[in-house]
Amino acid sequence: MTQISAIQKQSHVFVRLRWGARHESAATIATRMASTVALFSKLHGVLAGTWLRMHEQTPAPATPGEWEEYVIKSVTRADDGTPEERLGYHPSLATSRPYEQDDEPYAIFKVTAGSQGAIGNNCVLNFGVGTDIESDVLAQADAIVTGLAQIWEPDYAALLTRPLNRAQGPASALPAVGLTTWVAQSRMAPTATPDNAVIEPWGEGFLIRSVPHDESTALSVWEQLKNSGSLLEAPAR
């Protein structure tokens, strides 16, 4: 079995969503971004804070038109500045100035969406250092993971830690399994419930909880699902 170190007091937790190539308009991505901020506003702790445009440090858009304008500005561009919509958009938000004030609790939400390239698309929700943030995120794990999965319709959404991500291989073709995970039906065909896991249908996929909620258990659950053939690679395009 792959080994990982125990959770360290200063380790970072994060949420990753991933899906393959999928064309989406700037308007569609803007709607998803607005829905994400609305989801966070219903939670507590750092996620319920004021969200800012990541690089401009100005308040997040407030209307559908402002959101679409912001997404359009984040389009991938060629070296000469020409927009390349087929390679997607990259809007990002933050709750504070994390690179200037590292002692403040913060969250960062980065998106690549609308890409039709081979690398595909993803969302990453990062959190600052500190056990208070980790405890807060773990207490809301189901709401964060299922809420983001419903909004973005990914192949999977997983609450991970850095050591757990490294142990599974961040570039793996299989879905990741974190402390709490949602996996789409197209990427999972459960044959049996692994030891120390609860798996239940949720929406168009499955919600997986590691019991207890720790890295070693989550890694064991991922290995059992991988070895049983329950986790599926993305269909060939």
Side-chain angles (χ1 to χ4, degrees), residues 147-235:
L148 290 174
Q150 185 173 26
I151 292 168
W152 291 94
E153 302 177 277
D155 287 352
Y156 71 84
L159 172 60
L160 296 157
T161 66
R162 306 297 175 189
L164 184 56
N165 184 53
R166 288 193 297 269
Q168 294 186 24
S172 172
L174 297 175
V177 173
L179 307 178
T180 297
T181 310
W182 180 88
V183 182
Q185 291 175 352
S186 62
R187 301 297 304 278
M188 185 172 178
T191 56
T193 301
D195 298 334
N196 300 315
V198 175
I199 299 178
E200 58 186 19
W202 197 95
E204 297 297 317
F206 302 93
L207 186 62
I208 307 167
R209 300 184 186 90
S210 301
V211 184
H213 221 211
D214 60 41
E215 290 173 314
S216 296
T217 303
L219 182 60
S220 174
V221 170
W222 176 75
E223 289 181 327
Q224 291 176 71
L225 290 170
K226 178 184 67 172
N227 294 337
S228 69
S230 297
L231 298 176
L232 308 175
E233 294 188 10

Side-chain angles (χ1 to χ4, degrees), residues 97-121:
R97 301 175 185 268
Y99 301 120
E100 299 175 17
Q101 303 173 26
D102 288 334
D103 57 329
E104 292 188 9
Y106 67 86
I108 296 174
F109 185 66
K110 294 185 175 182
V111 174
T112 294
S115 173
Q116 301 171 67
I119 296 177
N121 299 278

Side-chain angles (χ1 to χ4, degrees), residues 112-128:
T112 294
S115 173
Q116 301 171 67
I119 296 177
N121 299 278
N122 67 85
C123 301
V124 178
L125 176 61
N126 281 308
F127 303 95

Side-chain angles (χ1 to χ4, degrees), residues 112-146:
T112 294
S115 173
Q116 301 171 67
I119 296 177
N121 299 278
N122 67 85
C123 301
V124 178
L125 176 61
N126 281 308
F127 303 95
V129 175
T131 54
D132 289 345
I133 289 181
E134 292 177 2
S135 299
D136 204 33
V137 171
L138 290 173
Q140 304 177 90
D142 281 15
I144 295 170
V145 168
T146 59

Side-chain angles (χ1 to χ4, degrees), residues 59-84:
T63 68
E66 290 178 356
W67 275 112
E68 185 171 0
E69 180 182 359
Y70 183 54
V71 171
I72 289 172
K73 287 175 62 178
S74 74
V75 69
T76 301
R77 294 184 181 274
D79 292 340
D80 63 1
T82 303
E84 294 192 297

